[in-house]
Amino acid sequence: MSVVFVKARFVGQATRFLDRDDKTQLGRKETLANMFDWNALDQKVCATIAEYEELDRTKSLSVVAISETMEIDIDEAVDAITDGGNDRGVDALFIDDRDGKNDIHIFQTKCVGDFSKSKNNFPSSEIDKLASFLVDLTGHDNDALASTNSLLKAKISDALEVLKEANATITVHFVGNTAPLIDTELKRVRTAFSRYKAIEFRMHDLDALSDFFLEKRVPALVREITAIDTNFFDRTDQNLRGVVCSVAALDIVDAIKSEDDPEQVEAGIFDQNVRIYLKRRNRINRRIIESALSDDNHMFWYQNNGITMTCDKVEIGPSRRAPKIKLTNVQIVNGGQTSNCLFEAAKEDRSKIEDVILLVRVIETSSEEVKMSIAETTNSQTPINVRDLRSNDRQQRQLEEVFADLGYYYERKAGQHADKPSSKRVDALTAGQAYLAYGIGLPETAKKDRGRVFGDLYDTVFAEDLTAIKLLTSFKLAQVLSEKKKEVRKKIRDGLTLAIGEMSLIDGSFHTLFAIRQICNRDEIDMWDFDLADAKVSEAIDVVSKLYNNAQLADDNFSSNRYFKDARTKDEVTKAVG
C-alpha cells in the first residue's frame, strides 16, 4: 500500500518519515493507479452520495476513506464529517475508543472529478491551516478553537478529553483520489510537526485507497507446511494443480510470522487478500481465538472453513505419511482472519493450540490472471458474520413475512432488497439498534456498539414479545430523527445559526428516541402507534437539547461523545420528562 507517514513517539526524539525513496525498505514496489482503480473508488463515492444526499464528492470520499481505514459503519463515518465553513482544514474527526484505545483520527481530503486529474499531486495549500489547528489542539487553546464550526467544535471537546489520557494518540490522514504529496511538502510537514509526540501522518492516495479493494503487489515468499498423516488430496487440471490437506495450526502460525520480527505477522503474505485483519474488535475473530484456546479446540477443523493459498509452485516431499509441502511465492487469499487469529492465540499460549488442526487448500498456477481471479472470487463472497449467522433464524424469517404484509421489505441480510424503494426497506440491524434505544430503553448501548444487536444482545432485542409493529415504529422514528440530523448538518454547511442545544441531535439521536418513549409513557399513550409517537418528536428534541446545553454550560471540558455514552444521561432524560 502506498502509505507515506511520519511518526514522532516522544518529545525530543527524532521524527521519522518514510519517503518514496524508502519504499524499498518496506519491500514495496511503486505502482500507478489505473482506470480500474479510479472506477472502483469512484463507484463507492457515487454510491455514498446517492445514499446521503447532503454529501458532496469531497465529503463522500472522506466517508469512504474513514469507513475503510477505521473499519466502521458508513453512518458512523458520516457522523465524523466536520467539513464546512471554519473547519480549520479538518474535514473529519473520528475518535477510536474501542478496546481501551484513545486514538484521535483527523482527516483532510481532496477530491478531483475525473481520472485525468488523478495524476496531480495532493494539494498542499491547507497544510499550514491544519498545522495551526494541531498546535491549538495539542496546546488546549480553547480561545483559538472557539471559532470553528459547530460540528468541529463538538469533536474538539471530545478530543480534548481524550488528550488527557496517557495512551492518547493523534493520526492525521491526508486523503485524495490523486497522487500523493510531493517530497518537498513531506519535508515541510516533518519540520512543522517535529516537536510533537505520539502523532502519526498517513497519506492515502488513489493507489493506496484502491489497494483496500484489491492489493496488487505480491512479494516472493517461500513457506513450508506439513500435511497431517495421509490426510491430503492432490489433483491436476490443465495448467492448475490443487492440493487439499489438513495442517497443524502452528504450521500456519509459523508460515505467516515475519522473518525480521517473529512477534509480528508478515503482512506481505496477505497482499492478495482484499480483506484487512479486523483484530479482536471483530466478534467472530474473538470467537475464533477463544475456540483455538478452548478445551474443545479439537472441534476447530469441523467448525472453521480453513484457508486458501495460491503459489507458483508446490513441491510435496517423498514421504507417504506427513509429507513436507514447499510453497514458492505463496499467498493466503482467503482465511486471513483465521490465520491472524491463530497467530494471536499462539502468542497467548502456544502449547494450547498444538493439537489444533485446520483445512488448507493450495492452488498452484503460474498465471497471474488466474491468481487474481482466485483472490477476487474467494474474497468477493459475503463474509459469514454474526448478523449473517442469525439471518436464517425462524424469527427473522417470520419478521420478513410480516413486514411484507405491512408493505415493507425487511432485510435480514445487508442489502437484501437493494432493488426496492429505499422508503420501503427496513434494515434489520438498523431497526434492532433503534429498538434497543426505544423499545428496551438502552440508548447509550445503542450508541456505543450497534454490533451487539446481533451479538450478545440478540436474544434481548429479538425476544419473543417483539413484533414487526414494534420494530417498524422504532425504525421509522429513528428515520425521522435521522432526517432532523441531516437538517442540522445542512444548516452548518450553509453557515446558518443553530438553535441552542440543536447540536445534540448529532450524537444524541438515540437519547432523543428514548425521550420519545418516556414522553409517551408519561402521557399514557401507545408508544407503538407511530403517529402518536411522532407527534412527540419536537418535545423530545427540546428535552435533550436543553439537557445538552445545560451540561455544556456546567462543564468547561464538556464532551458530547462522553455525555451520550454515559448511562447516567438516560436518567437525566427520564427526570427531565417528568
Side-chain angles (χ1 to χ4, degrees):
M1 185 181 299
S2 300
V3 178
V4 187
F5 64 92
V6 57
K7 192 167 186 179
R9 293 185 180 277
F10 301 98
V11 173
Q13 184 176 1
T15 303
R16 165 82 170 136
F17 274 87
L18 285 178
D19 291 352
R20 299 181 77 78
D21 292 337
D22 289 315
K23 284 176 181 271
T24 54
Q25 298 180 25
L26 296 178
R28 298 284 189 190
K29 295 181 180 179
E30 185 177 346
T31 64
L32 295 176
N34 55 32
M35 182 65 82
F36 174 81
D37 300 317
W38 167 270
N39 288 336
L41 179 58
D42 200 54
Q43 184 178 10
K44 283 186 171 288
V45 169
C46 292
T48 304
I49 292 174
E51 186 173 356
Y52 298 89
E53 296 178 357
E54 71 270 27
L55 301 180
D56 56 22
R57 283 183 60 83
T58 298
K59 291 186 179 72
S60 181
L61 178 58
S62 293
V63 167
V64 170
I66 295 165
S67 178
E68 293 286 350
T69 58
M70 297 293 99
E71 301 163 8
I72 61 174
D73 182 83
I74 286 288
D75 285 335
E76 290 182 88
V78 171
D79 284 343
I81 295 297
T82 57
D83 184 21
N86 300 320
D87 62 20
R88 300 286 303 272
V90 179
D91 293 327
L93 196 156
F94 173 73
I95 295 175
D96 189 355
D97 55 4
R98 295 169 291 188
D99 295 334
K101 292 185 295 187
N102 284 291
D103 300 339
I104 301 167
H105 293 268
I106 298 170
F107 292 79
Q108 185 179 91
T109 306
K110 301 300 174 187
C111 183
V112 296
D114 57 71
F115 178 65
S116 64
K117 296 179 180 178
S118 69
K119 307 301 181 184
N120 299 334
N121 290 98
F122 186 91
S124 56
S125 56
E126 294 199 8
I127 286 181
D128 292 326
K129 187 188 297 186
L130 189 59
S132 173
F133 172 78
L134 278 178
V135 170
D136 294 339
L137 181 66
T138 55
H140 292 252
D141 191 336
N142 292 308
D143 291 336
L145 295 169
S147 61
T148 58
N149 68 49
S150 300
L151 282 173
L152 180 55
K153 192 177 296 182
K155 300 293 184 184
I156 288 171
S157 296
D158 297 336
L160 291 175
E161 282 297 303
V162 169
L163 287 175
K164 296 177 182 178
E165 302 298 328
N167 65 336
T169 67
I170 298 176
T171 303
V172 178
H173 303 260
F174 296 112
V175 177
N177 57 350
T178 62
L181 278 164
I182 60 176
D183 291 344
T184 55
E185 290 301 323
L186 288 176
K187 291 176 182 177
R188 191 160 70 86
V189 173
R190 173 168 51 187
T191 301
F193 296 108
S194 60
R195 73 189 74 176
Y196 298 102
K197 69 172 184 177
I199 299 183
E200 181 177 342
F201 295 82
R202 295 179 181 172
M203 179 71 235
H204 305 286
D205 57 13
L206 175 58
D207 194 32
L209 290 171
S210 65
D211 283 349
F212 279 112
F213 313 127
L214 183 62
E215 186 65 55
K216 296 174 293 187
R217 306 171 211 12
V218 184
L221 299 173
V222 179
R223 295 292 188 266
E224 187 176 87
I225 58 177
T226 302
I228 298 294
D229 199 31
T230 58
N231 296 332
F232 70 94
F233 172 75
D234 186 2
R235 66 164 289 167
T236 302
D237 189 0
Q238 296 182 10
N239 64 337
L240 294 172
R241 182 184 184 185
V243 177
V244 180
C245 55
S246 294
V247 174
L250 288 179
D251 269 18
I252 300 303
V253 170
D254 292 337
I256 69 173
K257 72 181 178 182
S258 169
E259 294 178 349
D260 296 329
D261 184 359
E263 292 299 308
Q264 301 297 323
V265 168
E266 170 55 65
I269 202 168
F270 302 103
D271 272 356
Q272 284 190 344
N273 191 320
V274 298
R275 304 205 184 283
I276 301 168
Y277 179 46
L278 301 180
K279 301 186 178 180
R280 290 175 185 260
R281 60 175 159 268
N282 178 287
R283 286 190 176 79
I284 295 178
N285 289 354
R286 288 201 293 270
R287 290 173 59 187
I288 292 175
I289 294 172
E290 291 168 2
S291 174
L293 293 172
S294 74
D295 293 334
D296 296 324
N297 57 12
H298 64 279
M299 294 292 294
F300 198 91
W301 190 94
Y302 301 94
Q303 296 173 334
N304 190 276
N305 289 331
I307 66 176
T308 300
M309 299 175 167
T310 62
C311 65
D312 286 348
K313 187 176 183 179
V314 174
E315 297 175 81
I316 302 178
S319 175
R320 293 184 61 187
R321 287 187 177 276
K324 301 283 186 182
I325 303 175
K326 182 180 178 182
L327 309 172
T328 301
N329 197 16
V330 62
Q331 284 287 299
I332 295 179
V333 298
N334 193 271
Q337 308 298 319
T338 295
S339 304
N340 277 277
C341 287
L342 289 173
F343 189 85
E344 289 196 30
K347 288 176 71 173
E348 285 191 25
D349 190 345
R350 187 178 176 91
S351 64
K352 190 71 174 178
I353 67 168
E354 285 182 348
D355 296 328
V356 175
I357 298 171
L358 74 159
L359 191 66
V360 173
R361 182 174 64 143
V362 180
I363 300 169
E364 175 193 281
T365 176
S366 59
S367 169
E368 291 301 317
E369 183 178 352
V370 171
K371 287 181 183 179
M372 295 303 288
S373 173
I374 292 170
E376 289 185 52
T377 54
T378 56
N379 283 292
S380 62
Q381 298 167 17
T382 303
I384 304 300
N385 55 37
V386 177
R387 173 178 177 169
D388 292 331
L389 290 172
R390 298 285 193 177
S391 65
N392 288 322
D393 282 4
R394 180 180 180 85
Q395 187 172 18
Q396 293 298 314
R397 291 187 173 278
Q398 288 176 332
L399 285 169
E400 184 179 22
E401 291 296 322
V402 177
F403 268 96
D405 293 338
L406 296 172
Y408 288 88
Y409 300 94
Y410 181 71
E411 296 184 315
R412 295 180 286 111
K413 302 176 182 179
Q416 182 179 353
H417 298 295
D419 58 331
K420 300 298 188 295
S422 59
S423 61
K424 290 295 183 180
R425 293 167 58 191
V426 177
D427 180 74
L429 179 55
T430 303
Q433 185 183 20
Y435 182 72
L436 190 61
Y438 185 68
I440 300 176
L442 294 175
E444 73 283 0
T445 305
K447 175 176 174 55
K448 286 179 185 177
D449 191 354
R450 74 189 226 139
R452 295 181 66 188
V453 169
F454 276 87
D456 61 309
L457 292 178
Y458 180 79
D459 291 333
T460 301
V461 175
F462 296 98
E464 291 183 1
D465 61 344
L466 177 66
T467 65
I469 291 296
K470 291 181 179 180
L471 203 56
L472 180 60
T473 299
S474 303
F475 177 80
K476 289 172 67 177
L477 288 171
Q479 293 301 100
V480 170
L481 295 177
S482 179
E483 290 301 313
K484 298 286 186 183
K485 187 190 294 189
K486 288 182 180 179
E487 292 174 11
V488 173
R489 290 200 192 101
K490 186 176 186 302
K491 288 174 70 173
I492 294 171
R493 183 183 65 198
D494 295 342
L496 302 178
T497 302
L498 296 180
I500 294 176
E502 194 170 7
M503 272 295 297
S504 64
L505 269 172
I506 299 298
D507 283 328
S509 59
F510 291 111
H511 283 76
T512 307
L513 198 55
F514 174 74
I516 299 172
R517 162 200 171 103
Q518 299 304 90
I519 293 169
C520 287
N521 289 337
R522 179 200 66 192
D523 295 347
E524 297 182 345
I525 63 174
D526 184 5
M527 63 182 285
W528 303 118
D529 185 316
F530 172 74
D531 291 331
L532 294 177
D534 185 41
K536 304 298 180 180
V537 167
S538 294
E539 182 183 350
I541 292 174
D542 186 57
V543 166
V544 176
S545 63
K546 285 180 179 178
L547 289 173
Y548 181 88
N549 185 57
N550 291 338
Q552 275 187 308
L553 295 174
D555 184 0
D556 292 336
N557 299 315
F558 176 78
S559 165
S560 177
N561 185 55
R562 186 188 67 235
Y563 182 68
F564 287 116
K565 285 185 176 180
D566 191 334
R568 291 172 296 184
T569 302
K570 171 179 66 178
D571 298 331
E572 291 182 16
V573 172
T574 300
K575 184 177 180 180
V577 168

